[in-house]
Amino acid sequence: CGVLIADESHMLKNIDSKRTQTARKFASQVSKCILLSGTPELNRPAELYPQIAMLDPSLLGSWTAFTKKFCNGHRGRFGWEFSGATNTAALNALLQPVMCRRLKKDVLTQLPAKRRQQIPIELPKEVLKELDGPRKE
């Protein structure tokens, strides 16, 4: 029961990071998981694996099988290498049920115009001193 919504999910791209491990633990305890990102890593399929595995652990199979098929995974001089991208058309088809990709050019007309605004704030003198740090005289 419950829903996990993770914005900036591209920050969960490293399968070994504590952040990703913690998010995966939470994802396994909820009935729905929604991951949002404006920065999908389509050039490095290995970085998609942890995110997609949170949505549907059975979709991509094992890490090893996934990297062999979609990341040019192979034994290198110093261990397992998986930095490439292979079979991208098949991967894109596989991701259709879990990934909605909208391009900026397609949605730009639906977005409000950018608005930049400077808002001056006054800080107490003791805060300004702390921000400036010790000065050499």
Side-chain angles (χ1 to χ4, degrees):
C1 113
V3 177
L4 171 68
I5 301 173
D7 194 9
E8 303 295 343
S9 68
H10 57 274
M11 300 294 286
L12 305 172
K13 64 185 179 181
N14 184 334
I15 198 165
D16 296 321
S17 75
K18 288 188 181 228
R19 175 186 290 142
T20 301
Q21 295 298 324
T22 302
R24 290 181 77 177
K25 182 179 176 183
F26 285 130
S28 71
Q29 298 172 7
V30 297
S31 59
K32 297 232 185 254
C33 185
I34 300 169
L35 304 180
L36 306 169
S37 177
T39 314
E41 293 294 336
L42 299 177
N43 294 331
R44 294 188 188 117
E47 295 178 358
L48 283 174
Y49 183 88
Q51 298 169 70
I52 303 303
M54 279 187 253
L55 298 173
D56 183 353
S58 65
L59 182 65
L60 302 178
S62 73
W63 168 250
T64 303
F66 176 81
T67 56
K68 281 182 180 179
K69 185 171 184 177
F70 299 113
C71 309
N72 192 27
H74 60 278
R75 289 225 178 262
R77 187 171 170 195
F78 300 106
W80 194 250
E81 294 182 16
F82 47 84
S83 60
T86 52
N87 300 312
T88 54
L91 179 59
N92 285 334
L94 190 62
L95 295 178
Q96 289 301 311
V98 296
M99 189 172 189
C100 172
R101 184 160 188 232
R102 298 176 69 196
L103 300 176
K104 192 175 187 177
K105 68 178 179 75
D106 297 331
V107 296
L108 203 52
T109 60
Q110 301 168 8
L111 299 174
K114 277 187 185 178
R115 190 175 89 177
R116 298 185 191 271
Q117 182 178 8
Q118 290 185 355
I119 302 173
I121 58 170
E122 291 192 31
L123 297 173
K125 288 181 182 180
E126 56 273 2
V127 172
L128 289 172
K129 281 183 185 178
E130 190 177 316
L131 291 173
D132 284 342
R135 294 184 184 227
K136 294 180 183 177
E137 298 193 28

